[in-house]
Amino acid sequence: MMKTSDKFAIFLASVFGIGFIKKAPGTFGSLAGLLAWIFLIPQDQNLQIIAICACVVLSVIISGRAGRALESADDPCIVIDEVCGMWIALLFLPATIGVYIAAFVLFRFFDVKKPFIIGSLQALKGGIGVTADDIAAGIAANLVIQLALFAGVPWLI
């Protein structure tokens, strides 16, 4: 029988049950992260950094606990890491529809395809491995958008 604390960890790791959506739970977790960023996270960059740090720490702890309870280190229902990655993808960027769409698409691309070192980060143990690849995917998405903004891509502004 599963402990109540394990059930709570799974509930949080699945972002209140979103991770249990059968088709594309990571995409829905990323969408939840985007919507939380738009509607809940303050526009103050210092507070955004604090929120991201708190999310990452929570993700490492909770996803590790949930993975042990589910007997699956990176179970598809664990999507709190997608929230962290999306928030990183959006940090220091203007709050525009173009940026939101680009961040979502690029983050999902880097999270699914796992190019460069992103894929190798999943080999890390426990919650760190669950979260690290999403952090890297978020950084990669953010950098691509920063470069596009620097180049003057008009639909991002």
Side-chain angles (χ1 to χ4, degrees):
M1 180 170 216
M2 194 177 294
K3 296 179 191 176
T4 302
S5 59
D6 288 339
K7 289 179 184 178
F8 186 65
I10 293 167
F11 179 70
L12 291 179
S14 69
V15 184
F16 314 114
I18 290 171
F20 288 104
I21 295 172
K22 294 289 181 208
K23 298 275 185 182
T27 299
F28 283 103
S30 300
L31 181 59
L34 174 61
L35 294 174
W37 184 268
I38 293 169
F39 295 110
L40 301 175
I41 303 299
Q43 290 300 307
D44 180 278
Q45 289 182 347
N46 292 321
L47 294 176
Q48 290 173 345
I49 292 168
I50 291 167
I52 289 169
C53 290
C55 187
V56 168
V57 169
L58 184 66
S59 179
V60 169
I61 294 167
I62 295 297
S63 62
R65 175 79 181 253
R68 287 189 301 278
L70 293 165
E71 297 178 1
S72 174
D74 197 358
D75 194 273
C77 79
I78 299 172
V79 295
I80 191 172
D81 51 325
E82 269 78 14
V83 172
C84 298
M86 271 305 306
W87 289 3
I88 292 167
L90 293 161
L91 184 63
F92 305 126
L93 294 171
T96 67
I97 296 295
V99 165
Y100 293 151
I101 292 168
F104 182 80
V105 170
L106 286 167
F107 172 71
R108 290 308 301 147
F109 170 79
F110 287 118
D111 190 34
V112 171
K113 295 295 183 183
K114 301 190 187 318
F116 316 113
I117 65 160
I118 297 171
S120 64
L121 294 173
Q122 279 190 308
L124 298 170
K125 299 284 185 200
I128 292 173
V130 172
T131 308
D133 68 305
D134 294 275
I135 291 170
I139 291 169
N142 189 293
L143 289 175
V144 169
I145 297 167
Q146 295 283 3
L147 289 171
L149 287 168
F150 181 76
V153 175
W155 60 269
L156 288 173
I157 301 168

